[in-house]
């Protein structure tokens, strides 16, 4: 009578897919170490960040399980496709971090929010939460500055990205939307801020 949520079903090994398919079809299972079958009466919700159609065609995901699970398909747009949610999600994450860490961080600076609104978020909502958590944990003021978020982006870019350095239009041109080519690294942003201050 309950709900079984299977997260990241696309990462399930083929050997487990066979077992899951059997459970779904027969509506019963045997516990590990058990000998008798137990009836199963659950609604199954499966989620994945992967497109399973190519995985099915490459025999990485069972076609019969795919059709068993894909009865009602809900596609959630990525965070970069719903940028209007970024401020709300960032402040919700900030609120959770405040409670968890007992810090008095009240806001995210306008420059930092402009950066978040323009960032591509390859890690989706989880990355946004991690960015806010990282910024709160390393910050001592009541407002999260731009540099707190640039540090996170710098780590990500050095690990997975080959985005070229921003042009010399200045950090304010990037934040105002005139420089859309790339995000500055922490070092580049600091240099741009110093140049503009001078």
């Amino acid at each position: 009578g309950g709900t079984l949520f299977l997260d990241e079903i696309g990462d399930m090994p083929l050997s487990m897919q066979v077992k899951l398919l059997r459970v779904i079809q027969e509506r019963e299972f045997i516990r590990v170490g058990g000998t008798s079958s137990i009836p199963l009466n659950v609604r199954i919700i499966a989620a994945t960040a992967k497109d399973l159609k190519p995985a099915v065609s490459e025999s990485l995901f069972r076609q019969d399980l795919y059709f068993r699970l894909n009865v009602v398909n809900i596609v959630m747009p990525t965070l970069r496709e719903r940028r209007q949610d970024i401020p709300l999600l960032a402040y919700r994450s900030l609120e959770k971090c405040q409670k968890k860490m007992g810090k008095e961080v009240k806001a995210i600076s306008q420059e930092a929010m402009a950066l978040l609104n323009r960032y591509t978020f390859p890690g989706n909502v989880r990355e946004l939460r991690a960015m806010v958590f990282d910024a709160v944990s390393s910050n001592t003021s009541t407002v999260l500055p731009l540099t707190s978020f640039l540090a996170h982006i710098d780590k990500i870019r050095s690990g997975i990205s080959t985005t070229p350095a921003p042009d010399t239009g200045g950090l304010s041109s990037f934040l105002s939307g005139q420089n859309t080519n790339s995000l500055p690294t922490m070092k580049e942003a600091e240099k741009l801020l110093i140049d503009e201050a001078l």
Side-chain angles (χ1 to χ4, degrees):
T3 300
L4 177 62
F5 176 58
L6 304 171
D7 199 10
E8 294 302 340
I9 191 80
D11 294 332
M12 181 179 278
L14 284 167
S15 59
M16 284 298 296
Q17 292 178 33
V18 174
K19 294 174 184 178
L20 177 61
L21 181 63
R22 190 177 310 127
V23 168
I24 293 171
Q25 287 176 337
E26 297 174 11
R27 292 286 180 182
E28 61 181 24
F29 66 97
I30 299 173
R31 284 196 182 112
V32 175
T35 54
S36 58
S37 294
I38 300 168
L40 181 74
N41 177 22
V42 295
R43 171 181 47 216
I44 295 176
I45 298 176
T48 182
K50 295 179 178 178
D51 183 1
L52 290 181
K53 286 179 186 174
V56 168
S57 64
E58 294 169 17
S59 300
L60 298 173
F61 197 86
R62 291 184 60 95
Q63 185 177 32
D64 45 5
L65 180 59
Y66 174 77
F67 288 118
R68 266 294 177 180
L69 294 173
N70 195 20
V71 178
V72 176
N73 191 351
I74 301 170
V75 178
M76 287 293 296
T78 62
L79 189 54
R80 67 182 155 272
E81 294 173 288
R82 50 192 173 107
R83 294 191 178 278
Q84 70 278 7
D85 293 345
I86 291 173
L88 179 67
L89 291 168
Y91 272 99
R92 179 69 179 132
S93 297
L94 177 62
E95 186 182 310
K96 285 184 175 181
C97 290
Q98 280 178 313
K99 289 177 183 173
K100 192 170 187 175
M101 292 188 237
K103 288 200 168 191
E104 292 295 316
V105 181
K106 302 289 185 194
I108 299 170
S109 72
Q110 287 182 340
E111 296 83 9
M113 190 57 77
L115 177 75
L116 293 177
N117 281 323
R118 300 185 55 71
Y119 183 55
T120 57
F121 288 102
N124 221 344
V125 178
R126 288 180 180 135
E127 184 178 7
L128 174 60
R129 287 185 190 135
M131 286 175 83
V132 173
F133 189 92
D134 191 26
V136 170
S137 64
S138 61
N139 194 50
T140 53
S141 68
T142 58
V143 178
L144 295 178
L146 173 69
T147 51
S148 294
F149 294 96
L150 283 171
H152 174 88
I153 292 171
D154 224 11
K155 288 180 212 169
I156 297 297
R157 286 182 57 184
S158 63
I160 61 170
S161 177
T162 57
T163 308
D167 63 25
T168 55
L171 188 62
S172 61
S173 71
F174 167 78
L175 294 173
S176 67
Q178 295 166 20
N179 178 1
T180 59
N181 295 330
S182 63
L183 294 171
T185 64
M186 178 82 124
K187 217 176 230 184
E188 292 162 348
E190 285 175 351
K191 183 182 181 311
L192 291 170
L193 283 169
I194 291 168
D195 288 347
E196 287 182 10
L198 290 173

